[in-house]
Amino acid sequence: MQILGPTQLYEDVIAKGLCTGCGACVGLCPYFVTHRAKTSMLFPCDREQGRCFAFCPRVELDLDEVSRFVHGAPYSGEPLGTHRQVLLAQAKGLSGSFQAGGTVSALLCHALQTGAAGAAVVTGQKDGLPDPRVATTAEEVLSASGSKYGAAPVLATVNKAIASGTRDLAVAATPCQAAALAQMGMNPLGREDFMAPASLVIGLFCTWAIDARSLAALAAEHLSGKAATRMDLPPPPSEILVLETGGRRVEVPLSEVRKLVPAGCLCCPDMTAEFADVSVGVVEGEPGWNTLIVRTQKGADLVESAIAAGKLETREPEAEAAAHLSRAAAGKRRRAFARAREQGLLNTAEGRASLRVDEQVAEKILTEES
Amino acid sequence: MSIAKHPAGERRLYMGNEAIARGALEAGVSVAAGYPGTPSSEIIETLAKAAKDADIYVEWSTNEKVAMEVAAAASFAGLRSLCIMKQNGVNVASDFLLHLAGSGTRGGMVLVPCDDPGALSSVNEGESRHFAKMVEVPLLEPADFQEAKDLTKWAFTLSEELRSLVFVRSVTRLSHASGTVVPGEIPAPRRDAKFTYNGFILDPMEGPVMSAPVTFKHGQQQEKLKRAEEIFEDSPFNTYAGPDNPELLVIATSACWLYAREALRMLNAEGKAGLLKLATTWPLPRKLVKKHLAAAGKVLVLEEVLPFTEENVKVLAQEAADEIGHKPILGKRDGHVPMTGELNPDLAADAVAKALGAQVPEVDPDYKTKAGQYAFFGAPNRDLTFCPGCPHRASFWSIHNTLAADGREGFVCGDIGCYSMAVLPSGFSTLKTLHSMGSGTGLASGFGKLGPFGLNQPVMSVCGDSTFFHAALPALVNAVHHQSDITMAVLDNSGTGMTGFQSHPGLPTDALGNEVPAIDIEAVCRSLGAEVRVTDPFDLEKTQQTLHELLETKKGVKVLILRQACALSPQRKGKKDFDMEVDAALCRGEDCGCNRLCTRIFRCPGLVWDATAGRARIDEVICAGCGVCASICPAGAIIKKPVSAQAA
């Protein structure tokens, strides 16, 4: 793992427009800050190595090393990432304005209630912008339910919580955030306060996020100045983003939305948060249910315990639904690898790469049939 | 003892600006007005201190144009008046100046512009002399301290003889250096002011005062200049020293006369070269100059900054070519003398040596080497920076960080004051434009209208409290009226800080120490319809939060008044609010998570990097105890203890 400093991070990620605003570099030092879900560097810092560079999921992300750390094996190249089980799931005995089955809320609430996590970092909404926050009760978790679609600085909140002494965090994280959390866990610079930044990572499926400030502006434009209280991105072939506020519902064509996707999302190979303990997403044709991918032992234990406690209901998915999910995930990965290769960001021989992985695996991904 | 009390005939050490003030008092000046600006400010300050003893009126006006109008009113009422400003102040006053030249004056009126060759305390190297030529009024340039006094005094006599404004131009090395002066008598104060206006419209002393009918008055003005030239032919202030037929005639004006004398002595060239000191530089006394040109082999003109006299002499030489023959005239245009910067005896000697084909005596090489070494190893490398405890450092920290965090490539248009230094790293390179007084807000007003052309960056301006009244106010009115989308920060440090705490309309005390109504900047901005907030720049969090709100949520003109007195102001100087201390156990030094933020980026001179310990510490002697650095330390290692609480 190549670890450089903030100057290189700025050049490679922020200046190139690859930053997704995950917040991994924020809250560690006075130089990187997040404002309205966007990460900025206030002043140059000339350190040769920094946690900012080490944690960033968009520069020198070594998929093999991260995979070895999380899953004990190099990057497999499987479409859904290393996993134990793919299930359909829904929350039981929990009510909230869930995007689908409420599985993320159910697992976080259960983790808090059983002490598997001391606190949860979830993303609510404030002034039309995603608002990551620390939740310690079920009510606080539920107040943040529902998909946000805007890129959120979740890890800035994680860093802040760690700095104030909070441990055993459960984090609801998008794929880039899950990768960053894994890199933090690897603790390459040996910082004592980063020994175990998150005890549990609940991954969220993500095709791409939208620049949060632009999304808020887009919503305000379509909702006569009001912030959207709910958003939905129905699966293909719908090609729309649904915005809702106070009983009003508007559909925005995806062509308008895609322009607001940060370039950093377009070279992200991960749709299902492969470095999380479990990953959760929506299922086509099964409203009220989530897809749940169980990946690590910790994840399996949590799911098992939640089922046993009657907080979660699961069942096997239809074979075709699972195959469809795999195709979608493989498609995102192949497009991201192709773009990264085209831009010289994959396994870069001279200079810094965005992504590194065994070249044979990379070749396999790039030549997969669509 | 004020300068008005110094007895006549006793030798004194006067700063050039004090000599000018004394000259005005000896001329019986009644009213003096100006706007502060280096190197001119001490003239008004000296007169303000002497005002009670001399029984005169002195004011710091809102700007230079108003100052000249205030002084002109006294002249129209038959009194003698003085107006002072720095070089670029004349630009501000120039519209009235043009019309005043046309209307003429009554009581003697003198304008003293102090130019700043080399821009030692300016962001321009402007020349005021061209204004005298352009508006067609006489120009005098004193060469030493006695002459600064005597020529100023005589300028009033000349003004009354011509009924015209007269320029007396000074430069930094005359205004700010000191020399011996023998004062003269000061006349009794005048009590006979009256403005007469019922006479015939063309009567310069009894009719209404105006520049119309224009061509008639313009013709009169040119007659006045002809008369001035005649008077100048016999002026004792123009002197010549040297051989009757010099190989080289050096014509020097102002402080360059002293440099020229030193240069001729250094080169042992006094037998070959003659030195003509010209004090009456516009219009030129043609007969006098022609006589000296005819007698000389070639000519070298030494002056600062632009080739003003050089070009005038060249015109004269061309006109007189039949009588005096061809005379090579050397100076700035052919590169003998630098076109920018101050002159000094060495540069003068170089020019004279080149003109004579002589060698400048070599400096002892050993001396040169040692001087270089001492300068390199002995002199600490110091940046231009804000003082410890300066509210501007805190203000720019917040403005810079807010705009950087905002992430939309916002920028700040600046103008003139200590805060101009925010173009430099000491102000976090926050200012992206820097021009004249008030122009930051004018530029912002323009930038704020470029949205329809695709400019979607937040636009800010800054100005100081004195600058607010001087020239930012019309720009603010413009921005409000045209609904320009800007945020203006008024850095209100309660005084004209850069020039030494002169009064301005926002303060409750005037130049004479009288209690006067203070104009409330906040109320003025509100009355214009701007969204106004006031914060203490030392409260970084609140300031940044307020600025974010203004940048994000409000349209139109927003004004953020950052109110905190200058660390050198009488109310703050020498008083610490906090005793500061660094907890070495908490300080992260160069580690990841800080990397010397306080000494590498914030860089208050009161913070010192202890390289041996790898920790920051406070220089207690320099620290002003403002407490701001405690708020920037990411580790909470800088501790502030209230001074009063400690004493208890």
Side-chain angles (χ1 to χ4, degrees), chain B residues 166-195:
Chain B
V166 173
F167 272 52
V168 175
R169 183 239 197 184
S170 180
V171 292
T172 307
R173 296 297 164 183
L174 182 66
S175 280
H176 278 178
S178 297
T180 51
V181 175
V182 182
E185 297 291 343
I186 295 178
R190 297 265 298 272
R191 283 293 174 270
D192 55 347
K194 181 175 170 55
F195 179 44

Side-chain angles (χ1 to χ4, degrees), chain B residues 96-121:
Chain B
F96 179 68
L97 173 62
L98 174 66
H99 293 89
L100 180 65
S103 77
T105 52
R106 289 181 183 172
M109 179 170 171
V110 174
L111 170 65
V112 180
C114 299
D115 290 7
D116 186 15
L120 303 170
S121 291

Side-chain angles (χ1 to χ4, degrees), chain A residues 28-31 33 35-36 38 40-47 49-52 189 191 213, chain B residues 397 400-401 404-408 428 548 552 588 590-597 600-601 634:
Chain A
L28 305 165
C29 73
Y31 300 100
V33 295
H35 176 69
R36 292 178 74 79
K38 202 168 170 171
S40 301
M41 190 183 192
L42 297 185
F43 294 105
C45 168
D46 56 4
R47 283 185 53 82
Q49 282 197 318
R51 287 170 290 168
C52 52
L189 292 182
R191 291 274 306 212
R213 196 200 292 248
Chain B
W397 182 263
H400 170 277
N401 288 9
D406 180 85
R408 290 178 290 169
F428 321 113
H548 270 307
E552 197 62 53
R588 291 181 190 155
E590 290 175 305
D591 285 355
C592 185
C594 181
N595 195 15
R596 294 178 50 200
L597 182 76
R600 196 174 60 87
I601 305 287

Side-chain angles (χ1 to χ4, degrees), chain A residues 115-133:
Chain A
V121 174
V122 292
T123 304
Q125 188 168 304
K126 196 178 161 193
D127 303 330
L129 291 168
D131 178 35
R133 51 181 93 144

